[in-house]
Every structure is written in C-alpha cells, then in structure tokens.
Amino acid sequence: MTGERPTSMRTGLCGRLGVDDVGTRVALCGWVARRREHGEHLAFLDLRDHSGLVQCVVDGAVEVRGEDVVRIEGEVRRRPDGTVNPKLATGEVELHDCRVEILARAETPPLPIEERNESDEALRLRYRYIDLRRPRMQRNLRLRAVINSALRRAMERNGFCEVETPLLWAPTPEGAREFAVPSRLHHGSFYVLPQSPQLAKQLLMVAGFDRYYQIARCMRDEDPRADRQYEFTQLDLEASFVTQDDVLGFVGEAVADASEAVTGARPAEIGRITWADALDRYGTDKPDLRFGMELVELSSVFASTSVRAFAAPVVKAIVLEGGGSLGRGRIDALVDRAKELGAAGLAWFRVEGGEGATALDSPLAGHLSPEERDGLLAATGAAEGDLVLAVAGDDHHLVCRVLGTLRVQLGGQSVADGPHRYVWVVDFPMFEGLDESGTPVPAHHPFTMPHRDDLERLETDPMSVRAQAYDLVLNGWELGSGSVRIHRADIQQRVFGALGIAPDEAQGRFGFLLDAFRYGAPPHAGFAIGLDRMVAIFAGEESIREVIAFPKTQSGADPLTGAPKPLADGVLRELGLAPPPKRT
Ligand code: ASP
C-alpha cells in the first residue's frame, strides 16, 4: 500500500488500496459513504477518507449509517468476477472478513456529499465542514496547498526570506476601503487591517533583508463578488538591487513551478505586451490570449467618410467568425450593450456572398463608398458568414474598451477551458485620468517609480508618463501586479507634487516610510500574486469561493459562524464605541 505513514489507528488510506495489497490485513478509518444491503446477512459499506473510497463487505447486523465515523479492519481481496468497478480507483478490490468499530455517530447530513452539489450556497457555507468533505472541495484545497508549496520552494531557491508582517497596522496606500479595528486602550483610535504588506515590505528592504516573501492575508472592505472576497491571499514579494526584468524573472519562475506542480507541464516563457498595445489590440489591460479576435484599426479607411456614424477620429472593429448567422435580436442586444458601455452606437455588417462578389448586409451598407466597403473587408479580413462590429468615437480608450468587452462576451471561454496563457503587461501609464480639479489620478500606489525616459515630463505632460509597473495576466484574469518603487526623496517629492499630495499630508499618511527612506533606502521592486484567483483558474472554478476553506457569501456574511454579529453593550463600551451607561 502506498500513501501516508501508518498511525496507531490505521495502516493506510482507503483510496490507495489495489491488487498489490491482495491477501494483506489492513485497518482503515473514515466515513461511511454508502451502505447497501446484500441479502440478510451481508452489507456493503463504502468507506471514505480524503484519498477516496473502498468497498467493505461487512456483517449485515452491524448497525452503521451514512457519515458515521468507523474503523474497519479486514483483508484485501480481489472482487469476484463481474463485480469490478472500473470507475473507482480501488474498484478491483474490496475488504472482507471485516471488523467494524464505530468511532462516532453522525446525524443525517443536511447536504449530499457528491462531486457536484446544486445546494444553495448559503446552505453549503452554513455546513462548510460537510461541504468540504466532497471530493471536489478536497481536490481544490489540496491543489491550493500544492501551489503554495511550489511557490514557497521557488522563492526560497532564489534566496527570498519569509517574514511575517503585522495585521494590526496603519492605513496602506492601495486605495481600497479598509477595515478598522477599534483600540481598547486608545478610545477613538483605530488600527487598520492591511490591504497588502506594501509598506511593511518596503521597510524590510530599508532594513537590509534584500529579498522578502510571504504568503500574506490581505483585507479590503470592498463588496465581495465572484473574484473578490474581503480577505484574500497573496504571494507577496520584494527585492533590493533589482530591476523590473529581475522581478519578472523571479515571478515567472515561481509561477512556472506552480503550473508544473499542478499540470505536470512547464508553461512556455511568459511573453510581454505593453499596456498601450494590450488596449489597442484587445481593448483591455487583462488580455485573454486563448483566442484571437483582435481589434482592427479602421480609422484610415473612414478618414474622409461621409457616413455620420464613422466621422470620428477613432474607428475600430472586431470580427466574429461565423457571426453572420446571428439573428437581429442578438445583434440588437449587442448594440444595446455597446451603448450601455458608453459607445454612441455599434455598427454591424454581415458579410454575405453576392453574385460573384462579397456583399455587406447592414443598415449602413448602402451609405459606404465602394472604397470604404473594400477597405473594411481588407482591413478586417472578414469573409462570407462573418459579422463585423465597429465602434467609432473621440475617446480612444472608450472605443477600445467597448470592443474589448464585446470580444470577451462573444469569443470568451470559461476559466476551465483551454490552455493557460500567461502574459506580462508592462509600461502602464502613471496616471489614469484627471479628477474634477484637474489633478492626475494615480493608477498605482504613490511609491511607484515613473519610467526613466518619461521622468522629465512628470510636471509638463503627466498623462504621457509611463510607470515602471507591470501586471501578470492569465487567461483574461489579472493574476498579480507590482512595480519598481521610488527610493529617492527628490523623485518622491515630485510624484507627490504631481498627485497633489502636500508635504505635510504625505508626512501624516506615510511619514514612517518617508522617515525610513532618509536612512539609506536601496533601489527595490516587488510584486504580489493573487493566490485565490490563481488556484481558481487551475481548479477550473469560476468563483474564488470554491477554493477558499471558509469564504464569506456575496453579501459578506459568514453563515457558518453568523459573522458579522452585534457585540454586547459592555464590549462596545470597553472599546469606546458606546457611551457609558446613564446614571439613574
Ligand atoms: N501591494 C501591491 C498589491 O497588493 C502589489 C505590489 O506592488 O507589490 O497589489
């Protein structure tokens, strides 16, 4: 028998038994997955532990029920001819001559323990300890452990030192809403649960740790959804005396190790795309490279058009292969979707075979000049049976994003599908746009180093400044992000200036980091990978809740413990959150 080391209670695991064990006496422990009567005197029990099931032939008088916890001693034998179960890993053998010891009784479980479970999620979470007995959940959480372990080993191989950072902390600059923890000893003051160990890991660089990592829990008080929970886990890392290329190398290696540990195959070297290219070609900074359908430039085709819908500086399109068969209802829904996303409209063209020539079917077809019609077909490469969807506008980002969203809606695949296609998105812009007062809005935290070549334009043309910031994207999901940090006070002052953060405000918010930087800060850079998302993709799960042991519901509640819960008045008073009782 292969598997775990025997314990005083058992010789091995249920799911590992095979023909090699025939003739040996074993002791197994687990839960009764199923009981079937076989005549008057015999019963078949399926015994389950985390490794799988094995069939045990027991005395029919033994009183055990589903989910009772038992220890069974018996002899392994081949199943009689005709009773082999090829669907079960242990299906060639069974235990006979069994002695059954009941270790604990179980009530009827409120959920079926099956691979697929259609039960209401709130019920699954209320009884999560039963839900987690299901093979699928066992697989998901064990897969998570395999990924964690591979990442740790890769980090350690490259000299990264694991350091734990505080959970009771001060506000961090990631920009999400934070959870606050009231202080009992300092009424009216609060700790903040970290959105990430960002500032702590930068302090560790000043402290000379050189390379730090941590599988870190992070907390953000943002509404939960399929790919977001209040609490999430990151592989967080930071290194000194490195450039962007070095960080991409470390992270790429760790991710490749984790992929290989799970799938057995090492992914190809991760390619790079600039943020500007990603937007241009895929309409998003999280491109899903499992399929083509790239955005096509049509601005030059319609440069001097008389078609009102296309008289705009930016005209782009996507082609849905075979989409010509889409009915008007579906096309109208796409038009509505594009408008919802902010486009003025969505032009569509069904490509049809005419008398010896390709024809376009569209409300706009009659308005296009022959050159525009030919130009559209040539640029898009659309062929008979395809559907071309075009958006025009003044705002390049908006046009790209609308088509990028339609691209994923029409061509996208589920997380469980297809190969794992990683890509680095590099050269993010430093700023996202301007706020109402005309101040640039940062795209990253304020310690992100501007691109060396763009630094001189920080004050004169901030929107053209790129950041030394990078994301790792897998199958259209942002897996992680990081940046080279600012370690020089003069550049930091200029960035704060560009962001409209006054020196005293900076000192108030991040004074402890700025102080530390006065005592010798090495150049440093880092990254964080979202582990919940990564595991979900490898597990083929749409929701990260399926790869977290005890997640919260979409409304942030925990049906298992009943959290969040009111606190007793006495506790509130102790925390300074309720007035003292009135004297009578
Ligand atoms: N702290 C960043 C985050 O949590 C990652 C990084 O820049 O290292 O997204």
Side-chain angles (χ1 to χ4, degrees), residues 1-2 13-26 74-78 90 93-95:
M1 193 187 302
T2 55
L13 297 175
C14 302
R16 306 274 152 79
L17 287 181
V19 285
D20 289 350
D21 303 299
V22 167
T24 57
R25 247 193 117 67
V26 296
E75 190 185 312
V76 184
R77 73 172 179 201
R78 276 186 188 275
T90 61
V93 295
E94 64 187 11
L95 246 59

Side-chain angles (χ1 to χ4, degrees), residues 174 196 198 201 220 234 236 445 481-483 485 526-528:
E174 247 80 30
S196 83
Q198 183 62 38
K201 67 178 173 177
R220 298 184 187 179
Q234 290 184 343
D236 191 50
H445 57 68
S481 60
S483 59
R485 326 295 184 189
F527 200 78

Side-chain angles (χ1 to χ4, degrees), residues 287-421:
D288 186 343
L289 301 188
R290 285 175 299 173
F291 62 103
M293 265 181 96
E294 288 191 26
L295 276 53
V296 184
E297 190 57 60
L298 291 179
S299 314
S300 56
V301 173
F302 293 103
S304 49
T305 189
S306 55
V307 181
R308 279 254 308 275
F310 289 144
V314 189
V315 187
K316 294 184 77 115
I318 51 173
V319 179
L320 181 62
E321 247 176 70
S325 57
L326 250 53
R328 265 313 280 270
R330 296 254 337 254
I331 295 182
D332 287 346
L334 291 174
V335 174
D336 290 344
R337 179 81 184 113
K339 287 183 180 161
E340 238 172 69
L341 294 166
L346 177 73
W348 56 268
F349 302 91
R350 288 195 187 108
V351 185
E352 294 178 336
E355 298 276 302
T358 319
L360 293 178
D361 168 34
S362 162
L364 289 178
H367 302 279
L368 302 191
S369 70
E371 294 74 33
E372 286 170 345
R373 194 198 75 115
D374 293 347
L376 179 133
L377 286 169
T380 57
E384 188 180 334
D386 294 348
L387 178 71
V388 179
L389 299 169
V391 174
D394 302 324
D395 183 341
H396 178 249
H397 280 213
L398 182 79
V399 170
C400 292
R401 287 195 189 279
V402 171
L403 286 170
T405 306
L406 295 180
R407 171 182 176 270
V408 170
Q409 184 180 325
L410 293 166
Q413 304 161 15
S414 100
V415 282
D417 290 342
H420 293 135
R421 292 293 307 271

